[in-house]
Amino acid sequence: MGDMTNSDFYSKNQRNESSHGGEFGCTMEELRSLMELRGTEAVVKIKETYGDTEAICRRLKTSPVEGLPGTAPDLEKRKQIFGQNFIPPKKPKTFLQLVWEALQDVTLIILEIAAIISLGLSFYHPPGESNEGCATAQGGAEDEGEAEAGWIEGAAILLSVICVVLVTAFNDWSKEKQFRGLQSRIEQEQKFTVVRAGQVVQIPVAEIVVGDIAQVKYGDLLPADGLFIQGNDLKIDESSLTGESDQVRKSVDKDPMLLSGTHVMEGSGRMVVTAVGVNSQTGIIFTLLGAGGEEEEKKDKKGKMQDGNVDASQSKAKQQDGAAAMEMQPLKSAEGGDADDKKKANMHKKEKSVLQGKLTKLAVQIGKAGLVMSAITVIILVLYFTVDTFVVNKKPWLPECTPVYVQYFVKFFIIGVTVLVVAVPEGLPLAVTISLAYSVKKMMKDNNLVRHLDACETMGNATAICSDKTGTLTTNRMTVVQAYVGDVHYKEIPDPSSINAKTMELLVSAIAINSAYTTKILPPEKEGALPRQVGNKTECGLLGFVLDLKQDYEPVRSQMPEEKLYKVYTFNSVRKSMSTVIKLPDESFRMYSKGASEIVLKKCCKILNGAGEPRVFRPRDRDEMVKKVIEPMACDGLRTICVAYRDFPSSPEPDWDNENDILNDLTCICVVGIEDPVRPEVPEAIRKCQRAGITVRMVTGDNINTARAIAIKCGIIHPGEDFLCLEGKEFNRRIRNEKGEIEQERIDKIWPKLRVLARSSPTDKHTLVKGIIDSTHTEQRQVVAVTGDGTNDGPALKKADVGFAMGIAGTDVAKEASDIILTDDNFSSIVKAVMWGRNVYDSISKFLQFQLTVNVVAVIVAFTGACITQDSPLKAVQMLWVNLIMDTFASLALATEPPTETLLLRKPYGRNKPLISRTMMKNILGHAVYQLTLIFTLLFVGEKMFQIDSGRNAPLHSPPSEHYTIIFNTFVMMQLFNEINARKIHGERNVFDGIFRNPIFCTIVLGTFAIQIVIVQFGGKPFSCSPLQLDQWMWCIFIGLGELVWGQVIATIPTSRLKFLKEAGRLTQKEEIPEEELNEDVEEIDHAERELRRGQILWFRGLNRIQTQIEVVNTFKSGASFQGALRRQSSVTSQSQDVANLSSPSRVSLSNALSSPTSLPPAAAGQG
């Protein structure tokens, strides 16, 4: 399939359209236009054209019950006619594009220009060359050969520029590749349940074809468009397509349209798939935004967009068959945008990630300083030369001498630029990227699938974690361990013979029928393993209880198949119970209910006694039962579930929509206690968190006693401490004022002590997270991580600084909203994420400490050298080499240090801790002093020490001197040994600690050393080096080794004495304020429209940047088929504006970025 050529497929597709249209009773076009209708329009159209949904199934040659036969030729044919269910991803940037981007660096451009001028001048031999009158600033005749070699310097600069560019481009490229891999991993894991040949199977989303019968259930993200066939209580959040946040209720006769990219919020059902991939509603929008076809093609095809573009993008889809289904591209897909991309994206975010804020500030400060220094250098050199030549030596400016003078000026200019190049730490973005990319790759092994790079680093600053209980702190393997049946409280599973037969029959039916039929218990995969639980875990526990009572639920289910269920009230967070109504053989109705015991028992007025007869159950009996049965169970950490039933007469038929009357007067069958054991590794993980200064809070829907019992088992609370355990209701009562509004100061009174929030709703979770984040109660802003698995956790996951979704139990919606996916659903993986996050921060600090030492030294040497001797002791090419080691290689070496457990022994840094601490400042300045002293000693008295010719005051184009080579070599040796010092930033003594655990570091240090030998011994003219003798090498290495000794000396000086040292790179509170103000209005909308927004964000999934914002807006205005796709949207303009806002899909904020260019500072953007 993949190897068909574009045109071949295209013509074939056209043929298919016409010839096979008759083979299936409807064409792709018909189905596509059908799916563009909504609600009643659609129902009418189906009736007129097809009859009913059954008829559509017949035309698509599929059976609503059996599904497709699933034979390969049939599936293949469907793919050919109706397309495949994937949207071809946007082409990645080619390596050349990345090279071109790397070339845009300003300093590099300046260098290139300087090098080209230098090259040009070296080839230009003016007649005045031999004229004695021209000043050669300092004496010393040039050899003929040397004059010829003038071009080498220019060429060498160009070469090193190419090196830097290639390294940068390669880094970007590999980063992009990693993300593509990560992306496709996320997508391949996405499966969906369909019925094929009567079997329920899970298939990858990309395999879904038109005509498939798909089972949809709570929490699904629909992968394709379809028509609703049968189901119960299905409610869908269509905000991703319509922007309406109300949930839409689906039914065969009112609104059967199910659209791709929308979320199932409640209920379950089956649908027949009618449109996939680029023909589905999400696909059409993708195609419009240029993910399917590129901008240019789109312009040509605008007229025939309806047919042409889709086919084109489909054929493209075929070519890129290997690309995984991009249907469910995660929201803010981190498509390796480079660091400044991130900065742009961050204009849209509420605030920059901590590290980026600090880094950007620091880089700007350093850059300014470098610019000033280089300008001064050039000015001094030029002035000195002109004054010396024309004033002191009274030389006239002869026309034929002009080129000679110009050559001098170019040389001065190159020196100036070199100073600038060394001063600007362009390795910073590189170090950050490498460090993050490396961490992300390694975190995969630790079961953390990172979806947004900066989440990794934010995690290191986390101060609070709000965790779910079920599945995260516990194993999520539910087993019934206690039961109260027939007036007896059994502390373990009762003997089946001790339970009355009538009760037993009711109990088995109530559990088997009143649970999702997708929930099953399967035999274990391996001998001796536990049986596998599939589906809802609580229901699995109840089914397991049936099996433990030596009964079987399968016969009951086959006798009463899902289609025959009369009415189902599905479980949701408001009801906290689930009920199913069936029609009995005598035409009367019976309803089975199950749910949280305190809720269901309130609705019971009878209970089955030991003989299986109902007896009266009064409120006071209930209170006694709560005391004697439910509380003891809950205090053992069990979840209590009550199972009940009620019979209704056949006539008059009850009003099923009046829920309050129906769910009442129940008869209790039994109450069971379900245990969900704490994961064995959790208590240790929580202890680590607490030691690292992170507060763990548990937020759960369970009963407060159960929650407290488990919190004690996990070590979240210790008996005798001063802490709060609240229920959702009580929490809400305490944080709201008389008007029922939430007040921040009330939350501030509660959250510092709150450890357990029980019986909480998803909104409570969101309120708590928002309350902690917005709190100004502590001097540091709290950084909150949240775990969630349910669809309703979406808002809280989004609001949190870092959202963790469960990879196994999590719904698609939760994964969409999260930053990191825990592939093993385990709390201890979160601790690993904290460790990695802190490690990233430390890696950057190590790199900075090293980089800044080099910068300070190199700039001062170049500057003073140039001022005193008219020539920088370190030549341009040498500077670039130093720049390469310290930037690219050092960032690789220091950014890939593996984390250690010791990282968890300190408190989190917080937002306003400076990037460069006092200790680091002490190290930087201390080492700079050592290096400068030695270099200047060598520069001014080196020739006497080594008995060699002085390299000072050499004329233009003179051969390289040993003297300057020694200086260069010593300088590099000192950097190499200082790199080892830089491995520790908190003033530790042992800098070699764990050095062999990082092979990359060792390789780079040794590699740099080897290359340095080659450069010095064989670099010759291009590197301005002359070969050194062995004893001279020994001295260079000896001076370098001195760095390690000096490092120990510096470590001895207590930092507390050095009050005068400034810290740098701090985000002060003051600076955060304006951004906050700017975002206050955004914030208001943020909550009110969060749901509505989530929709629009979904549109931009997977689009990395929309190249030309305006072009898209134009397409919006004039795209012909577009109007069809968006006929139902009154708010086209506001959305097109939104598209323009999205320079990268990091987070859609409602900033008015249309009117203000992204590069404005926050304050200006605010006024814009």
Side-chain angles (χ1 to χ4, degrees):
M1 195 76 223
D3 51 16
M4 286 170 83
T5 62
N6 200 341
S7 55
D8 177 23
F9 174 78
Y10 191 78
S11 53
K12 194 164 169 167
N13 206 37
Q14 291 301 321
R15 265 204 316 282
N16 286 348
E17 278 291 328
S18 46
S19 59
H20 297 313
E23 202 165 305
F24 292 107
C26 31
T27 62
M28 182 175 81
E29 279 305 308
E30 287 169 13
L31 289 175
R32 214 178 110 173
S33 51
L34 172 66
M35 292 319 289
E36 282 175 0
L37 302 171
R38 295 286 163 269
T40 40
E41 279 180 60
V43 178
V44 173
K45 171 91 176 170
I46 292 173
K47 276 215 176 68
E48 284 173 3
T49 320
Y50 305 101
D52 60 358
T53 39
E54 297 280 323
I56 293 185
C57 290
R58 281 198 297 279
R59 288 194 181 198
L60 288 173
K61 304 207 168 113
T62 178
S63 140
V65 183
E66 296 285 311
L68 290 178
T71 56
D74 177 54
L75 296 177
E76 206 43 64
K77 195 161 73 196
R78 286 171 191 274
K79 280 185 189 169
Q80 279 189 27
I81 299 178
F82 298 110
Q84 285 175 296
N85 193 26
F86 88 121
I87 293 170
K90 208 166 150 196
K91 288 209 277 297
K93 284 196 184 126
T94 57
F95 189 69
L96 286 174
Q97 280 170 308
L98 291 169
V99 168
W100 177 243
E101 279 180 14
L103 275 170
Q104 308 301 311
D105 188 13
V106 184
T107 39
L108 288 180
I109 293 175
I110 297 177
L111 263 181
E112 286 154 27
I113 295 171
I116 291 167
I117 295 176
S118 159
L119 267 179
L121 285 172
S122 68
F123 288 125
Y124 172 53
H125 293 298
E129 186 82 25
S130 52
N131 188 337
E132 283 308 304
C134 300
T136 38
Q138 269 75 29
E142 298 193 10
D143 295 346
E144 261 320 290
E146 290 306 328
E148 300 306 300
W151 60 274
I152 293 181
E153 183 163 34
I157 294 180
L158 280 182
L159 198 72
S160 45
V161 165
I162 291 170
C163 263
V164 173
V165 167
L166 286 178
V167 169
T168 319
F170 178 74
N171 270 312
D172 284 348
W173 178 77
S174 56
K175 189 171 71 184
E176 179 111 350
K177 206 168 111 230
Q178 265 176 6
F179 280 119
R180 296 262 158 191
L182 195 82
Q183 225 44 46
S184 57
R185 230 197 95 164
I186 296 178
E187 283 143 14
Q188 277 146 15
E189 284 174 356
Q190 179 128 29
K191 293 213 169 24
F192 210 79
T193 316
V194 297
V195 181
R196 284 202 179 156
Q199 292 293 314
V200 177
V201 286
Q202 288 226 327
I203 57 169
V205 168
E207 296 295 309
I208 294 177
V209 294
V210 170
D212 256 325
I213 302 294
Q215 292 197 345
V216 296
K217 58 179 189 313
Y218 159 82
D220 282 343
L221 185 65
L222 298 182
D225 293 354
L227 295 171
F228 183 57
I229 312 176
Q230 157 287 316
N232 34 60
D233 218 8
L234 190 67
K235 287 193 187 147
I236 302 246
D237 169 16
E238 290 189 351
S239 58
S240 56
L241 285 173
T242 58
E244 304 293 326
S245 52
D246 299 340
Q247 291 175 15
V248 186
R249 197 177 190 141
K250 297 289 175 185
S251 61
V252 181
D253 46 358
K254 294 219 177 56
D255 183 0
M257 313 308 267
L258 298 173
L259 305 172
S260 59
T262 58
H263 294 131
V264 183
M265 299 310 270
E266 236 179 81
S268 61
R270 294 218 297 271
M271 72 169 185
V272 55
V273 176
T274 54
V276 292
V278 278
N279 302 312
S280 65
Q281 293 302 303
T282 314
I284 293 171
I285 290 166
F286 263 107
T287 321
L288 278 175
L289 291 182
E294 293 301 305
E295 239 43 52
E296 274 54 65
E297 293 175 17
K298 218 158 60 192
K299 280 201 195 113
D300 311 337
K301 293 223 179 84
K302 215 169 267 175
K304 37 181 186 178
M305 189 129 172
Q306 202 76 47
D307 40 36
N309 207 9
V310 171
D311 292 344
S313 39
Q314 259 184 347
S315 50
K316 204 173 251 186
K318 293 292 185 294
Q319 288 167 327
Q320 305 187 2
D321 216 20
M326 210 166 109
E327 176 59 313
M328 301 304 148
Q329 257 305 26
L331 284 193
K332 305 165 259 184
S333 93
E335 288 278 6
D338 35 34
D340 21 64
D341 236 80
K342 279 221 190 104
K343 284 175 207 153
K344 261 190 236 141
N346 276 332
M347 299 294 287
H348 289 293
K349 259 198 218 159
K350 280 212 294 299
E351 45 196 297
K352 279 192 182 151
S353 81
V354 189
L355 189 61
Q356 277 166 341
K358 293 178 181 177
L359 277 179
T360 321
K361 213 176 144 217
L362 195 69
V364 169
Q365 288 170 343
I366 297 173
K368 281 182 188 159
L371 201 66
V372 172
M373 289 294 272
S374 64
I376 297 177
T377 315
V378 175
I379 293 169
I380 290 182
L381 283 171
V382 171
L383 280 177
Y384 188 96
F385 175 76
T386 41
V387 170
D388 188 58
T389 312
F390 302 121
V391 180
V392 181
N393 296 340
K394 309 240 181 354
K395 292 265 171 69
W397 183 300
L398 302 170
E400 62 269 25
C401 293
T402 309
V404 184
Y405 296 143
V406 171
Q407 254 177 325
Y408 270 107
F409 289 142
V410 170
K411 178 181 160 191
F412 298 151
F413 179 64
I414 289 181
I415 291 172
V417 173
T418 324
V419 173
L420 178 65
V421 171
V422 178
V424 175
E426 57 269 32
L428 266 184
L430 196 67
V432 179
T433 312
I434 291 178
S435 178
L436 287 173
Y438 171 78
S439 306
V440 166
K441 211 167 171 171
K442 287 279 190 256
M443 281 167 81
M444 291 282 274
K445 293 199 180 81
D446 286 340
N447 302 311
N448 283 302
L449 200 154
V450 181
R451 292 188 45 216
H452 308 129
L453 266 191
D454 43 359
C456 166
E457 158 252 316
T458 314
M459 207 44 222
N461 290 317
T463 54
I465 298 176
C466 296
S467 171
D468 272 2
K469 175 180 77 73
T470 312
T472 314
L473 300 172
T474 59
T475 53
N476 204 10
R477 244 201 100 79
M478 309 282 191
T479 37
V480 172
V481 288
Q482 295 188 20
Y484 179 86
V485 191
D487 295 339
V488 188
H489 183 174
Y490 297 94
K491 292 281 188 190
E492 56 252 3
I493 299 289
D495 188 302
S497 58
S498 64
I499 295 176
N500 176 290
K502 267 196 221 154
T503 311
M504 183 65 99
E505 189 195 352
L506 269 170
L507 178 61
V508 175
S509 303
I511 291 176
I513 293 173
N514 186 28
S515 56
Y517 279 32
T518 46
T519 304
K520 312 189 204 27
I521 298 220
L522 302 179
E525 281 171 344
K526 298 195 287 286
E527 272 300 302
L530 293 164
R532 283 181 300 155
Q533 297 188 339
V534 182
N536 180 316
K537 297 295 193 245
T538 312
E539 291 180 353
C540 285
L542 290 167
L543 293 174
F545 178 53
V546 171
L547 299 178
D548 289 341
L549 293 172
K550 310 282 183 287
Q551 307 291 318
D552 191 4
Y553 61 88
E554 279 302 339
V556 183
R557 280 186 175 180
S558 47
Q559 202 181 340
M560 175 59 69
E562 202 168 358
E563 297 76 73
K564 286 200 190 157
L565 299 180
Y566 196 81
K567 169 93 180 133
V568 179
Y569 299 95
T570 47
F571 181 89
N572 65 23
S573 52
V574 182
R575 287 189 192 121
K576 290 226 191 291
S577 69
M578 168 178 177
S579 313
T580 305
V581 182
I582 58 170
K583 211 170 193 171
L584 296 175
D586 63 357
E587 294 293 306
S588 66
F589 300 99
R590 172 170 290 171
M591 177 180 74
Y592 294 117
S593 279
K594 68 166 192 293
S597 54
E598 54 264 56
I599 289 170
V600 178
L601 278 178
K602 281 200 181 97
K603 297 176 176 162
C604 289
C605 61
K606 297 197 185 70
I607 186 166
L608 295 183
N609 61 15
E613 298 299 328
R615 66 172 172 83
V616 178
F617 184 64
R618 292 184 298 276
R620 69 159 180 269
D621 299 335
R622 186 174 67 233
D623 297 340
E624 189 178 356
M625 186 159 168
V626 167
K627 263 203 198 65
K628 296 267 169 60
V629 180
I630 292 174
E631 282 185 358
M633 281 187 186
C635 292
D636 292 342
L638 306 183
R639 285 175 84 155
T640 53
I641 301 280
C642 173
V643 182
Y645 78 103
R646 177 183 179 184
D647 286 329
F648 294 97
S650 54
S651 65
E653 186 172 327
D655 171 12
W656 298 115
D657 289 337
N658 186 347
E659 244 178 82
N660 293 345
D661 290 357
I662 302 284
L663 295 181
N664 226 331
D665 296 339
L666 306 176
T667 306
C668 168
I669 304 174
C670 73
V671 173
V672 293
I674 297 185
E675 180 183 44
D676 184 5
V678 171
R679 286 176 181 260
E681 60 280 10
V682 163
E684 171 59 17
I686 286 181
R687 226 184 55 243
K688 281 183 187 161
C689 281
Q690 289 164 340
R691 202 173 56 217
I694 301 170
T695 314
V696 181
R697 295 181 173 80
M698 182 162 101
V699 183
T700 172
D702 256 356
N703 162 325
I704 189 150
N705 295 327
T706 313
R708 191 185 283 119
I710 294 210
I712 289 172
K713 279 186 195 161
C714 296
I716 290 178
I717 52 183
H718 304 289
E721 277 183 358
D722 178 22
F723 56 80
L724 283 172
C725 291
L726 294 179
E727 282 202 347
K729 277 191 193 139
E730 173 65 8
F731 173 69
N732 272 309
R733 200 181 56 70
R734 292 198 189 187
I735 61 171
R736 291 173 193 275
N737 59 18
E738 299 71 46
K739 294 191 197 125
E741 295 158 352
I742 297 172
E743 284 188 1
Q744 185 63 44
E745 46 271 27
R746 289 180 185 237
I747 299 185
D748 287 348
K749 288 202 184 80
I750 296 178
W751 73 257
K753 286 189 181 173
L754 183 69
R755 289 294 175 274
V756 176
L757 185 57
R759 281 267 172 264
S760 68
S761 68
T763 32
D764 295 339
K765 193 173 188 172
H766 180 251
T767 309
L768 176 67
V769 172
K770 182 178 179 327
I772 297 181
I773 288 180
D774 294 347
S775 170
T776 46
H777 186 73
T778 44
E779 70 275 18
Q780 298 280 8
R781 170 167 111 59
Q782 293 280 313
V783 177
V784 184
V786 169
T787 68
D789 52 6
T791 305
N792 41 24
D793 290 329
L797 288 171
K798 272 244 164 57
K799 178 70 199 166
D801 294 288
V802 182
F804 286 92
M806 300 299 147
I808 304 167
T811 56
D812 299 339
V813 184
K815 290 179 189 172
E816 266 319 288
S818 68
D819 300 298
I820 298 181
I821 296 175
L822 295 177
T823 47
D824 62 346
D825 289 16
N826 194 337
F827 186 84
S828 59
S829 305
I830 299 180
V831 182
K832 298 240 176 67
V834 173
M835 217 154 83
W836 277 105
R838 294 188 171 188
N839 191 50
V840 168
Y841 202 93
D842 280 7
S843 299
I844 305 296
S845 296
K846 289 172 190 171
F847 172 71
L848 270 177
Q849 175 171 312
F850 173 69
Q851 165 109 39
L852 292 179
T853 313
V854 187
N855 278 6
V856 169
V857 175
V859 169
I860 295 179
V861 167
F863 176 70
T864 24
C867 297
I868 299 173
T869 66
Q870 268 64 80
D871 182 12
S872 163
L874 297 174
K875 300 288 181 289
V877 182
Q878 296 174 348
M879 288 280 211
L880 281 169
W881 161 239
V882 168
N883 213 22
L884 199 71
I885 22 178
M886 51 181 228
D887 275 1
T888 315
F889 297 152
S891 62
L892 254 176
L894 291 167
T896 50
E897 289 271 310
T900 54
E901 288 280 326
T902 47
L903 286 167
L904 292 174
L905 297 176
R906 62 171 177 77
K907 296 274 176 276
Y909 281 148
R911 289 195 157 259
N912 35 12
K913 171 164 188 325
L915 202 54
I916 299 176
S917 61
R918 229 185 225 138
T919 316
M920 285 165 62
M921 210 53 156
K922 176 183 76 175
N923 290 344
I924 292 172
L925 295 177
H927 287 295
V929 166
Y930 173 82
Q931 295 183 9
L932 286 171
T933 316
L934 281 164
I935 285 177
F936 283 135
T937 312
L938 287 176
L939 181 58
F940 295 113
V941 295
E943 70 269 34
K944 298 194 185 64
M945 289 158 59
F946 288 107
Q947 274 99 45
I948 47 175
D949 294 336
S950 164
R952 294 197 304 281
N953 303 342
L956 201 57
H957 302 314
S958 57
S961 63
E962 282 186 0
H963 182 192
Y964 274 15
T965 309
I966 290 179
I967 294 179
F968 167 57
N969 201 15
T970 312
F971 181 64
V972 173
M973 287 303 122
M974 291 198 285
Q975 300 327 322
L976 272 184
F977 288 104
N978 194 28
E979 199 163 339
I980 299 174
N981 276 331
R983 290 184 65 245
K984 298 285 177 250
I985 49 174
H986 297 298
E988 295 91 331
R989 288 245 172 229
N990 180 5
V991 287
F992 291 101
D993 178 35
I995 195 164
F996 295 113
R997 286 217 320 270
N998 186 358
I1000 302 182
F1001 185 86
C1002 305
T1003 321
I1004 284 179
V1005 171
L1006 296 173
T1008 316
F1009 187 60
I1011 300 176
Q1012 178 64 17
I1013 295 178
V1014 174
I1015 287 180
V1016 170
Q1017 297 307 95
F1018 313 106
K1021 184 76 201 203
F1023 280 97
S1024 318
C1025 287
S1026 79
L1028 298 179
Q1029 266 83 45
L1030 188 65
D1031 61 325
Q1032 293 166 333
W1033 263 102
M1034 285 300 139
W1035 273 106
C1036 292
I1037 294 174
F1038 173 72
I1039 295 175
L1041 276 167
E1043 271 288 0
L1044 294 173
V1045 182
W1046 183 247
Q1048 296 300 318
V1049 174
I1050 295 178
T1052 332
I1053 307 170
T1055 316
S1056 49
R1057 289 286 169 80
L1058 307 170
K1059 287 281 190 292
F1060 58 88
L1061 286 183
K1062 282 268 196 309
E1063 299 132 332
R1066 145 181 281 185
L1067 275 183
T1068 50
Q1069 290 285 319
K1070 278 206 280 302
E1071 276 161 39
E1072 281 187 2
I1073 308 284
E1075 280 191 47
E1076 291 298 305
E1077 278 170 8
L1078 160 75
N1079 282 300
E1080 262 176 17
D1081 42 4
V1082 179
E1083 279 290 340
E1084 295 312 304
I1085 308 174
D1086 195 36
H1087 308 304
E1089 300 199 12
R1090 169 178 270 98
E1091 293 307 309
L1092 190 146
R1093 283 293 131 191
R1094 206 176 70 227
Q1096 265 96 341
I1097 297 178
L1098 270 166
W1099 279 29
F1100 310 121
R1101 284 180 311 188
L1103 302 178
N1104 185 22
R1105 271 187 259 166
I1106 293 170
Q1107 238 67 40
T1108 41
Q1109 304 177 336
I1110 307 305
E1111 248 183 345
V1112 178
V1113 179
N1114 293 343
T1115 317
F1116 265 87
K1117 289 188 184 128
S1118 56
S1121 75
F1122 178 75
Q1123 253 62 40
L1126 290 187
R1127 200 171 294 128
R1128 62 190 178 277
Q1129 301 220 340
S1130 53
S1131 50
V1132 172
T1133 42
S1134 73
Q1135 270 143 2
S1136 59
Q1137 207 163 4
D1138 250 51
V1139 175
N1141 277 352
L1142 246 94
S1143 57
S1144 84
S1146 152
R1147 289 209 178 147
V1148 181
S1149 85
L1150 294 179
S1151 68
N1152 32 13
L1154 248 194
S1155 50
S1156 62
T1158 15
S1159 53
L1160 290 185
Q1167 295 143 11

